[in-house]
Amino acid sequence: MITNKEAGFNIVPLPKKDWQGTIIPMRYTTSEYYDVAVDRRENGFQVTLEKKEFDKPVSHTPEEYDFPDKLYQEHWEKACAWGVLEGREMIACIETCPEEWSNRLAVTELWVHEDYRRQGIAHALMAVAKEQARLERRRALILETQSCNVGAIDFYLKEGFTLIGLDSCCYQNGDLERKEVRLDLGILRDKKPRLCRDELEIRREREPEYHDTEEMTMRAFWNKHHRGCNEHLLVHKLRDSEDYLPELSRVAVKDGRIIGGIFYSRAWLKKGEQKKEILTFGPLCVDPDWQGTGVGEMLLQETMTAAREAGYPGIVILGEPDYYPLRGFVTCDRFGITTPEGKNFDAFMGVELVPGALSEFGGSFYESEIFEQLSAEEEEVFSVQFPPLEKQYFPMQWD
């Protein structure tokens, strides 16, 4: 696997505080265009797009527009940008912005300097946008281009985009005549069908599977909460901890492949001199190829049932606030439970396996010390044994 650094460039975040207002010198020359025709018919309209040649090449430059492209324009309130730098000079960039009401992610800018094109930079930048859309579970990745920017259109089509709409008077009323019609392109991310329980084997992990489980965990969490991740190292070290509970932990197997896992360990509530043993789990993970198919929910349901039958009072976790409340978890302030520092927040959640078992005790939550024994240096060394993945910033990360 060739990384961007090995290919000769490095994609870095472009923070708003440093790059807002930076002009993007969009310029191109084309000898072709897509001729857009909108014909009124008795029973509706017929719209056609046909590639044709200009009589002579046409060039577009930033100077011809009253509002040149810029990074972090005010109407893109939640934009985020990445780029490639040569020294302090930006030679390529991509900017995205979520369209929250429709759960789509828009590519609002994509540019590569003329001297650096055809080197794979645009492809690598678009891969960042695609990964952001996946991590944020957006249903589509969308963008706008012009019918005369054939080079860009050809690139987008190779990247998997398709036509999703057009606007025949977006820029001027004569866009059709000028052969510069706004085209909307998109990648529609398929919603995966949910798996049935009998399609999975859910069982305890076996020692020969340890490496495969760790690689799956790495792929599941890579760049999700932080740049890179350390959850695969946690799984590795957790197995040797006296607080690990293999009798509750499970992996999900499909067609002989590990595609998910949940790992339990002892935790405690402390109130003064009193101490109560409870459960925590982490990580709960599903391979990216199988996320959204119900694997995580099945792992959670079956292990919670096993924990309840084993007599455990409840579970407290640090997890995703948009996922666990749908599975019965509530914020820990409902139980009178805080972190050791006395804090509460949306990602700090719990569930009672025995009614009243958490709320009647309250106190401060403590997990195994193994969770604090995950240094960045150790993670770097441990990750070498797996296929390399690029560490990258994304806006949903916790730090």
Side-chain angles (χ1 to χ4, degrees), residues 3-14 82-86 89 91-92 121 124-125 128 227 390-392:
T3 65
N4 295 332
K5 288 182 180 180
E6 292 168 342
F9 57 88
N10 186 27
I11 297 174
V12 299
L14 302 177
W82 298 260
V84 178
L85 305 180
E86 188 71 44
E89 180 184 357
I91 63 169
I121 296 177
L125 288 169
V128 173
R227 299 188 197 196
E390 290 280 355
K391 290 186 177 182
Q392 188 54 267

Side-chain angles (χ1 to χ4, degrees), residues 31-276:
S31 60
E32 297 177 304
Y33 67 98
Y34 279 91
D35 189 29
V36 180
V38 181
D39 298 317
R40 178 76 179 268
R41 300 296 178 92
E42 181 179 354
N43 295 323
F45 293 85
Q46 179 174 313
V47 180
T48 59
L49 284 80
E50 182 180 358
K51 186 185 285 187
K52 297 182 178 179
E53 290 192 4
F54 283 115
D55 293 334
K56 59 181 181 179
V58 172
S59 296
H60 289 286
T61 67
E63 290 75 23
E64 67 187 272
Y65 300 106
D66 294 332
F67 302 98
D69 290 82
K70 299 178 182 178
L71 286 178
Y72 294 109
Q73 298 192 66
E74 291 185 0
H75 54 279
W76 302 120
E77 295 181 1
K78 297 183 179 180
C80 189
W82 298 260
V84 178
L85 305 180
E86 188 71 44
R88 294 187 177 183
E89 180 184 357
M90 183 178 73
I91 63 169
C93 68
I94 191 168
E95 181 187 79
T96 64
C97 187
E99 189 179 78
E100 298 289 4
W101 68 270
S102 68
N103 192 30
R104 301 188 298 181
L105 181 68
V107 176
T108 50
E109 302 288 356
L110 176 61
W111 168 78
V112 179
H113 189 283
E114 301 95 298
D115 295 342
Y116 295 87
R117 292 174 184 171
R118 302 187 183 279
Q119 298 181 30
I121 296 177
H123 173 73
L125 288 169
M126 187 60 75
V128 173
K130 291 178 179 178
E131 182 66 359
Q132 182 186 359
R134 185 191 72 81
L135 289 170
E136 296 182 1
R137 299 175 184 172
R138 303 293 178 183
R139 65 180 179 89
L141 181 66
I142 61 174
L143 56 82
E144 163 198 346
T145 190
Q146 295 75 42
S147 59
C148 55
N149 196 351
V150 172
I153 294 171
D154 288 347
F155 168 75
Y156 295 138
L157 295 178
K158 289 180 181 178
E159 288 291 314
F161 286 81
T162 189
L163 182 69
I164 59 173
L166 60 85
D167 187 337
S168 63
C169 63
C170 179
Y171 311 113
Q172 299 179 19
N173 287 349
D175 287 349
L176 287 170
E177 292 75 20
R178 295 188 312 113
K179 313 304 181 186
E180 190 172 355
V181 175
R182 168 176 169 160
L183 301 182
D184 293 314
L185 306 180
I187 296 176
L188 309 183
R189 300 186 65 248
D190 294 333
K191 186 174 181 179
K192 300 174 183 177
R194 290 179 66 85
L195 292 173
C196 297
R197 178 60 184 87
D198 58 9
E199 296 179 86
L200 283 181
E201 180 185 10
I202 295 180
R203 56 167 171 77
R204 289 179 62 164
E205 183 188 29
R206 298 165 184 165
E207 187 171 350
E209 299 167 332
Y210 285 0
H211 183 85
D212 290 342
T213 300
E214 291 156 6
E215 183 177 344
M216 178 276 299
T217 304
M218 180 179 176
R219 282 168 36 82
F221 282 97
W222 196 255
N223 289 331
K224 188 172 182 62
H225 301 309
H226 316 276
R227 299 188 197 196
C229 73
N230 61 14
E231 281 82 359
H232 56 310
L233 175 60
L234 172 60
V235 170
H236 178 75
K237 298 187 72 170
L238 194 59
R239 297 190 193 99
D240 294 327
S241 170
E242 62 181 11
D243 298 322
Y244 179 50
L245 297 171
E247 64 270 22
L248 294 180
S249 302
R250 297 288 187 273
V251 292
V253 183
K254 180 169 174 55
D255 301 327
R257 176 186 170 193
I258 302 286
I259 65 169
I262 186 169
F263 304 88
Y264 279 82
S265 56
R266 294 182 180 86
W268 300 269
L269 298 178
K270 297 181 182 180
K271 186 169 60 175
E273 298 298 319
Q274 295 179 290
K275 183 177 180 181
K276 183 172 187 174

Side-chain angles (χ1 to χ4, degrees), residues 287-299:
D287 187 281
D289 293 340
W290 295 97
Q291 289 175 4
T293 63
V295 176
E297 186 173 352
M298 284 186 273
L299 283 166

